[in-house]
Amino acid sequence: MTHAQTLPRPVFDNGISAVPVRELSPTGDFEESAPYRLFGLTPCTPVIGAEISGVDLGAPLTAELHAELHRALLEWKVLFFRDQDLTARQHRDLARWWGTPEVHPFLPKADVPEVVRLSRGADSPAVENVWHSDASFETTPPMGSILRAVRVPDVGGDTLWSDMGAAYDGLPADTRKRLDTLAAVHDFTRTFGSQLSADELARQQRKYPAVTHPVIRTHPETGRRLLYVNRIFTSHIVGLPDAESRDLLAYLYDQARHPEYQVRLHWRPGTVAFWDNRATQHYASADYYPHPRVMERVTIVGDRPI
């Protein structure tokens, strides 16, 4: 899949909205997708999110099915699968089709070390209700994440994803030009670090030192330009005065909040979401306290943002 800018991008600014009114498409090129032969695909929005039917993720994939699912992931950024019955090992083995599942350095584990268990309830309120990209503090952040619903509340607990390609496209041209030359520092210290003792924090900082990534990364497969800063892990923009860095980051963080760029999933037990962590941010709504919500997730090692 390649990114070809063949036509001028139409922009119709209504002078009121924070986001220019313009045509939105999954690829940003306004080109129709090639058909999918091995499963059904139903878009959830014009730009991000699609529900896949006719696939049993617990069964071994074929090379052909993997290739077609991967094309759908690149196009729609997050794929939803209902009524899946996966063990932790099957979950991990599914992720291996896309790369190496990583062992998260801080989060609790399920039955196998590559599977993180996120268990929330009366004794453990949710903390994932911030727009973010998983583990951007790593030198090679995950290319993707696969999240499975184990137990969900009857009402609430939805997850939202936002398309960072659409967010970049929606920025003013002069802002895009400026951002193309900037880099930002990503660091786990403010979040995961707050849970560690001083000795353990120092040990983990040696293992995961702060890293610098471009503010605008290029998707390694589609070539699409993507906004790549997030409120959880990005600490500052390199070379800018502190106040200017804070103001610019606050503006960029807010780009994920536009509904035009988003898709929202209501979970059911057995629902699986697979997202391109390079191209999206996500937000887990914390509106279900004190009811339990148990999820399991695998992240897949990616490459260094460029």
Side-chain angles (χ1 to χ4, degrees), residues 33 37 54 56 88 94 97 117 136 152 169 194 210 218 242 254 267:
S33 170
R37 302 177 298 105
D56 177 4
L94 171 67
W97 278 90
R117 174 164 279 231
S136 68
V152 294
D169 293 344
S194 65
T218 300
D242 289 347
D254 276 350
W267 295 93

Side-chain angles (χ1 to χ4, degrees), residues 36 39-46 48-54 72 76 78-80 263:
Y36 292 94
F39 49 77
L41 184 146
T42 303
C44 300
T45 79
I48 180 174
E51 186 160 323
I52 304 296
S53 59
W76 292 100
V78 55
L79 305 178
F80 306 132
V263 64

Side-chain angles (χ1 to χ4, degrees), residues 165-183:
Y168 173 76
D169 293 344
L171 294 169
D174 57 343
T175 301
R176 294 200 303 267
K177 183 177 180 180
R178 180 191 183 199
L179 297 178
D180 282 343
T181 65
L182 296 179

